[in-house]
Amino acid sequence: MPPLKRKRDYARLIILLAGALPLILGTIFTVIDAHHTVRQQQVSAAKTLLSQAEKMSDSGWDMITSLRKYHYQPCNQIEDKLQLAGTLSAYFRAIGKLKDDRVACSSAYGLNPGSLKEMIMRDPPVTGRAWWSLSIAGTAGVPNRPAVIFVRQLPDGEGFWAVIDGQYLMDFMEAIGESRSYQLSMRFNDGAPISVGKVETVKNRFFDAQTYQTTSLRYPISVNIVAPGSELARAWRQVLFVFLPMAAIFSILLMILTANWLQRRISWRDEIRRAINGRQFTVHYQPVYNDQLQRCSGAEALMRWTLPNGTVIRPDIFISAAEAEGMIVPLTRHLIELIAEDVQDWEVEPGFHLAINVAAEHLQHPEFVSDMLQFVEKVKHQQFVITLELTERSLIKDGDAVARKLDALREVGIKVAIDDFGTGHCSLSYLMTFSLDYLKIDRGFINAIESLGGETPVLDAIINLSFKLRLQVLGEGVETPLQLLYLQQRGVVFIQGYYYAQPMSNSALKIWLKEKGPLPIHVEDHDASELHPS
């Protein structure tokens, strides 16, 4: 598979991955959010359940406290009072007195109903404390329904107890957990669990049950809440339906941005590299007219790109692409190599100007000076005056380093020109800071010359400023006799544009130089008196 095609296949894969990324991240996010949502629901349910259990515990211990008034009173004297208190008080299954490990009296079963162990159907806990509570699976009278017993044992062997029916807690737990299919469980100390809810028998393929445990800060009560996988799945679907449209939009946008980035990152870089290796680039040369010598005295080198199928890529497109893709330095080096090949057999007089456009990135490259010195060495037999044309933005970054490079090149005879002056962001002080030789007036100012009677104060100011700074002036983009006359009357020596000559291939230029290079421009008849030289 060709390297470029392989990279394009990789690019398609990257685009697909970019589109999938928001969906994948969104899915992960929604799963995390679903877990968080269910956890918050469990925390809220546990707080509510513990609050109710604490209220019932408060009632239990309040009942124990109220029974203390029957201390030292025989059971046969308080039997009716116990029955009345047990009947009128909410939650309570039975209340009574203890004598050591036996139930002395009960509001439900009268006198001497049996031992404490028999009543709660298990051994009493060994807590080492006079106060204790315990959840139990049932009592002797109601063995199949859980309850909670509260006990206060006194130093003289007597004690008091109260049993709260667990049904109250179970009803409350079912009300909390039924809508979400929770399995809830509560324990007092290490007693029997009071549980509601069914254990999930069918496991969810993608979500496991989520368990939450907590304890009361006031009493030894623990709560365990199990949210089934189906509840997590339901919460996830709710979040997903909200997030999915946004994720889809982000996915499409990211695919578009990635495709655009890869198109420039891969296609242009590889195409330019292939074009260099395949010698698809050529150089065209546009002659420059010297108004003092009345003949052609130089030419500007302009790179052109023609694909194998004959398609021509515009310079502004491939140069911008090369700058964006970090290929402008290799491209400029290729340009001067092509120029060095072309000019070997030119028949020009010594001092012929050869202008080369230099990109800002190449100017700031560490090997820029050596690149240009090598080029000078290759074409030294022609005795050219080599002119480097720089844009204004080339001077803005690393100004001191750029100035040193330009000074070094000027010492070996290379000239420096500012191209398209007036269209960039360069301060006028740069014209004094840097060692310059030529100033090229942008074609936009030349086009402002519209009629014989027109005036262009900005153009005139640029020309006057150049003369005061002792810079040679070149007007580019000259396309009409009127523009030529205007520049001639204002002392502009160098003229470049379609009116004089169009850019042409190397072979065409060599013929043109022999036939038309020595000839002056024949200006069409115009009433030059209407022009007002500055």
Side-chain angles (χ1 to χ4, degrees):
M1 182 184 296
L4 185 58
K5 185 177 186 303
R6 184 166 59 249
K7 288 187 177 181
R8 285 175 175 168
D9 290 340
Y10 289 155
R12 295 188 187 98
L13 178 60
I14 292 173
I15 292 171
L16 292 176
L17 291 176
L21 183 61
L23 300 177
I24 294 172
L25 293 178
T27 301
I28 295 173
F29 168 78
T30 54
V31 170
I32 294 173
D33 188 74
H35 278 272
H36 177 72
T37 299
V38 171
R39 174 67 73 200
Q40 292 301 110
Q41 292 172 348
Q42 288 176 303
V43 170
S44 177
K47 287 182 178 179
T48 303
L49 189 55
L50 281 177
S51 176
Q52 183 65 18
E54 288 170 351
K55 290 179 180 179
M56 295 182 71
S57 295
D58 290 340
S59 298
W61 291 118
D62 288 343
M63 177 60 73
I64 295 294
T65 301
S66 68
L67 294 177
R68 287 289 303 274
K69 62 178 176 287
Y70 302 124
H71 193 200
Y72 301 123
Q73 295 185 32
C75 284
N76 56 8
Q77 294 182 6
I78 62 172
E79 182 179 2
D80 293 341
K81 296 177 182 178
L82 291 177
Q83 291 177 351
L84 181 61
T87 302
L88 297 180
S89 300
Y91 306 138
F92 292 95
R93 181 179 297 181
I95 59 176
K97 289 182 65 175
L98 290 173
K99 183 60 178 178
D100 296 324
D101 61 348
R102 295 191 61 80
V103 178
C105 50
S106 169
S107 63
Y109 301 104
L111 306 179
N112 299 317
S115 67
L116 179 61
K117 178 180 179 180
E118 292 172 344
M119 185 179 74
I120 64 176
M121 298 190 303
R122 56 158 289 175
D123 291 326
V126 179
T127 64
R129 301 178 61 184
W131 299 73
W132 56 269
S133 61
L134 187 71
S135 53
I136 52 179
T139 58
V142 188
N144 298 321
R145 194 164 69 227
V148 181
I149 184 170
F150 299 86
V151 176
R152 173 71 168 101
Q153 293 176 319
L154 301 176
D156 61 359
E158 284 197 0
F160 301 94
W161 58 270
V163 176
I164 290 182
D165 199 311
Q167 188 64 48
Y168 297 107
L169 285 173
M170 293 172 66
D171 292 342
F172 193 77
M173 293 162 70
E174 287 180 352
I176 292 176
E178 183 177 11
S179 62
R180 296 192 171 93
S181 302
Y182 287 163
Q183 181 191 4
L184 299 98
S185 178
M186 178 183 294
R187 290 175 183 264
F188 287 69
N189 276 313
D190 293 325
I194 303 174
S195 302
V196 298
K198 297 180 180 180
V199 178
E200 190 174 39
T201 56
V202 179
K203 300 297 182 181
N204 190 282
R205 293 179 58 188
F206 303 104
F207 295 97
D208 293 328
Q210 181 169 303
T211 301
Y212 176 72
Q213 294 179 328
T214 188
T215 57
S216 169
L217 298 177
R218 297 176 56 204
Y219 297 110
I221 307 172
S222 62
V223 170
N224 186 80
I225 300 179
V226 179
S230 58
E231 176 63 19
L232 282 168
R234 186 181 67 83
W236 173 71
R237 287 193 297 269
Q238 289 179 341
V239 179
L240 184 64
F241 288 149
V242 174
F243 185 81
L244 190 59
M246 293 186 293
I249 293 173
F250 281 122
S251 178
I252 295 171
L253 290 176
L254 190 57
M255 290 178 69
I256 293 173
L257 292 175
T258 304
N260 290 339
W261 179 78
L262 286 173
Q263 184 178 7
R264 294 178 59 84
R265 185 69 181 176
I266 295 177
S267 299
W268 278 115
R269 176 185 288 271
D270 288 349
E271 291 291 344
I272 291 173
R273 186 179 290 112
R274 282 182 56 195
I276 291 175
N277 295 332
R279 298 187 68 83
Q280 297 175 14
F281 289 102
T282 58
V283 183
H284 283 205
Y285 301 89
Q286 186 172 28
V288 175
Y289 182 71
N290 188 316
D291 195 53
Q292 290 181 345
L293 301 178
Q294 296 286 297
R295 60 175 297 157
C296 175
S297 65
E300 178 183 1
L302 303 168
M303 185 170 253
R304 296 292 184 264
W305 182 7
T306 303
L307 299 178
N309 62 6
T311 302
V312 176
I313 309 297
R314 296 204 322 265
D316 60 319
I317 293 178
F318 71 77
I319 290 175
S320 298
E323 290 177 337
E325 301 300 331
M327 288 294 294
I328 194 63
V329 173
L331 192 61
T332 306
R333 286 173 170 168
H334 185 56
L335 169 65
I336 59 179
E337 289 175 0
L338 294 175
I339 295 173
E341 294 175 4
D342 287 345
V343 303
Q344 293 301 315
D345 58 350
W346 281 11
E347 297 179 6
V348 293
E349 295 181 358
F352 188 87
H353 286 72
L354 181 60
I356 302 173
N357 290 280
V358 177
E361 289 79 1
H362 194 193
L363 179 60
Q364 291 150 9
H365 194 277
E367 299 179 5
F368 170 72
V369 174
S370 63
D371 288 342
M372 300 314 303
L373 293 178
Q374 291 175 16
F375 173 71
V376 171
E377 184 65 23
K378 291 180 181 179
V379 300
K380 65 179 181 180
H381 66 284
Q382 290 287 11
Q383 301 182 44
F384 288 133
V385 175
I386 298 173
T387 303
L388 303 181
E389 295 192 359
L390 312 176
T391 59
E392 295 181 30
R393 72 183 184 91
S394 302
L395 308 178
I396 296 176
K397 185 178 180 181
D398 298 330
D400 294 338
V402 168
R404 288 192 296 270
K405 292 177 181 179
L406 297 180
D407 289 340
L409 293 176
R410 293 181 80 247
E411 289 179 1
V412 297
I414 294 178
K415 303 297 183 180
V416 180
I418 292 294
D419 194 10
D420 298 333
F421 179 77
T423 62
H425 305 284
C426 178
S427 169
L428 291 176
S429 64
Y430 278 46
L431 299 179
M432 301 178 64
T433 302
F434 293 93
S435 299
L436 307 173
D437 300 287
Y438 297 93
L439 187 150
K440 294 188 69 173
I441 301 173
D442 181 72
R443 67 182 68 245
F445 297 109
I446 303 298
N447 290 336
I449 306 172
E450 296 179 355
S451 65
L452 291 176
E455 294 185 354
T456 56
V458 175
L459 175 58
D460 293 345
I462 292 175
I463 294 173
N464 293 333
L465 176 64
S466 301
F467 290 157
K468 289 184 181 295
L469 295 175
R470 297 182 180 180
L471 299 176
Q472 294 283 355
V473 182
L474 186 150
E476 65 175 340
V478 177
E479 298 180 353
T480 67
L482 176 61
Q483 294 170 353
L484 174 63
L485 288 171
Y486 193 96
L487 296 175
Q488 286 176 329
Q489 290 186 353
R490 283 154 179 77
V492 176
V493 174
F494 298 101
I495 304 297
Q496 180 181 351
Y498 279 24
Y499 184 73
Y500 179 54
Q502 297 185 11
M504 58 192 78
S505 66
N506 178 49
S507 58
L509 176 72
K510 289 188 287 187
I511 297 173
W512 187 94
L513 287 174
K514 290 180 180 180
E515 296 179 353
K516 298 184 179 181
L519 303 177
I521 296 180
H522 293 288
V523 183
E524 300 176 6
D525 292 335
H526 284 273
D527 186 2
S529 62
E530 294 187 25
L531 291 173
H532 305 284
S534 57

